[in-house]
Amino acid sequence: MIQATAPGKVYLFGEHAVVYGRPAIACAIDLRTRVRLFSSKREGVHVGRGRAVESVHRLPYLNEAVRLVEEVGGQPISNVKLKITTSIPTGAGLGSSAAVVVATIGALAYGFGLDIPREKIAKMGHEVERRVQGSASPTDTHLSTFGGTYIMPERRRLNPPMCSMVVGDTRKSGSTRALVGMVRELKERYPAVVDGIMDSIAALSLEGRALLEKGEFSELGRLMSINHSLLGALGVSTPELERLVHTVMGAGAYGAKITGAGGGGCIVCLVDEKDSVEVVDAIRRTKARAYPVHPAEDGLRVEG
Ligand code: MEV
């Protein structure tokens, strides 16, 4: 049996602005997806999640991942079963699809004796997301492959935020494609206004990078809250996300923002260790899910 795991991620700054080439800071987190690869007598590739087992053809991300490994490896992938488990909430803006794709590619490459460098695995992961979604930024697949904290799109590794982080999940999901489209329409209609917002988000990412290097987390949180307000100005927040942000700020967080495309999904906040239990409890009292998370320095891990 071969096992591969890969992490999810949060954006500390810059989602949506990164679509227009502005800097963004993303951080891999210690919520991971695990893919176990078993040999099987059945032809083809089958996937088990919980008790259900189904053909890979029914699962677009995994199906494209298998196809791409076949293309790159020049050999058919068959007679295997993949078992998937995850601690990453799915469709919530935490990079769950990137994590399952990267872990699947890692497990298959190892299992079929293909020596695929990490850079190439990250590119393949991005290609799979692009094929399934139509468009995707390389952020999620890069972070799932390499772990760490990065400024994108230049892909420079930064110090991780060594303080407590808590993710709050509204349990509602937004469509990344629709939200990116909505921001594009707003930008086309009011370029002077929206470009100004994008430039401010870019400035926050650059200030954030300096604060991360200095380890000034309460100031970092303050800037994340400004980023959140700018995402609100772009129209991607929701009453549930606003409620979570107000809840965690009331419970003592340094700062909080949407992470990902918005329209539902999650917020992330930075918090002093001593206040993190209070923040988690406050989120749970609203009936949302809370995940205390830490930066993950490891990306894809494969064990034979
Ligand atoms: C979605 O998680 C983040 C966006 O910036 C889109 C992307 O970068 O692909 C909204």
Side-chain angles (χ1 to χ4, degrees), residues 190-244:
Y190 302 108
V193 175
V194 175
D195 284 342
I197 295 174
M198 297 297 182
D199 288 343
S200 296
I201 294 176
L204 288 167
S205 293
L206 298 180
E207 294 287 352
R209 170 168 70 177
L211 293 171
L212 262 180
E213 297 302 300
K214 289 192 255 178
E216 290 185 17
F217 302 122
S218 67
E219 282 302 298
L220 197 67
R222 193 173 175 196
L223 296 192
M224 284 168 62
S225 290
I226 299 176
N227 194 157
H228 175 75
S229 299
L230 294 173
L231 288 167
L234 292 176
V236 301
S237 194
T238 64
E240 291 84 1
L241 287 163
E242 291 306 312
R243 182 162 181 224
L244 278 183

Side-chain angles (χ1 to χ4, degrees), residues 101-263:
V101 164
V102 165
T104 300
I105 295 172
L108 291 173
Y110 191 91
F112 284 80
L114 307 172
D115 187 16
I116 307 180
R118 293 283 151 131
E119 248 340 304
K120 176 83 178 167
I121 290 181
K123 280 211 180 88
M124 289 167 70
H126 181 218
E127 174 61 16
V128 168
E129 291 218 307
R130 218 186 45 73
R131 286 185 190 179
V132 178
Q133 292 168 202
S135 77
S137 88
T139 308
D140 291 11
T141 38
H142 184 82
L143 272 282
S144 274
T145 308
F146 293 103
T149 301
Y150 280 85
I151 186 151
M152 303 297 283
E154 68 183 270
R155 300 181 199 195
R156 187 181 296 272
R157 197 156 180 149
L158 306 176
N159 288 341
M162 295 310 290
C163 70
S164 294
M165 290 189 282
V166 179
V167 167
D169 179 4
T170 60
R171 305 186 194 210
K172 295 200 169 159
S173 56
S175 153
T176 299
R177 187 193 273 250
L179 288 149
V180 168
M182 194 191 77
V183 171
R184 184 175 303 280
E185 191 272 326
L186 193 67
K187 186 168 162 359
E188 279 165 10
R189 188 173 294 216
Y190 302 108
V193 175
V194 175
D195 284 342
I197 295 174
M198 297 297 182
D199 288 343
S200 296
I201 294 176
L204 288 167
S205 293
L206 298 180
E207 294 287 352
R209 170 168 70 177
L211 293 171
L212 262 180
E213 297 302 300
K214 289 192 255 178
E216 290 185 17
F217 302 122
S218 67
E219 282 302 298
L220 197 67
R222 193 173 175 196
L223 296 192
M224 284 168 62
S225 290
I226 299 176
N227 194 157
H228 175 75
S229 299
L230 294 173
L231 288 167
L234 292 176
V236 301
S237 194
T238 64
E240 291 84 1
L241 287 163
E242 291 306 312
R243 182 162 181 224
L244 278 183
V245 165
H246 286 287
T247 299
V248 300
M249 293 309 289
Y254 291 145
K257 64 181 276 295
I258 291 168
T259 177

Side-chain angles (χ1 to χ4, degrees), residues 60-83:
Y61 285 100
L62 296 183
N63 193 42
E64 282 303 332
V66 170
R67 297 291 80 86
L68 200 51
V69 174
E70 286 182 326
E71 280 169 42
V72 168
Q75 57 171 294
I77 303 285
S78 182
N79 295 92
V80 287
K81 182 169 165 190
L82 300 168
K83 279 198 173 173

Side-chain angles (χ1 to χ4, degrees), residues 31-92:
L31 300 178
R32 302 182 75 89
T33 293
R34 179 174 71 165
V35 175
R36 287 179 293 158
L37 177 73
F38 299 87
S39 59
S40 161
K41 291 200 180 97
R42 279 170 91 180
E43 262 187 37
V45 179
H46 291 85
V47 180
R49 291 180 304 170
R51 280 163 186 237
V53 176
E54 52 197 333
S55 164
V56 76
H57 295 123
R58 299 172 65 90
L59 304 164
Y61 285 100
L62 296 183
N63 193 42
E64 282 303 332
V66 170
R67 297 291 80 86
L68 200 51
V69 174
E70 286 182 326
E71 280 169 42
V72 168
Q75 57 171 294
I77 303 285
S78 182
N79 295 92
V80 287
K81 182 169 165 190
L82 300 168
K83 279 198 173 173
I84 317 268
T85 48
T86 188
S87 57
I88 308 172
T90 49

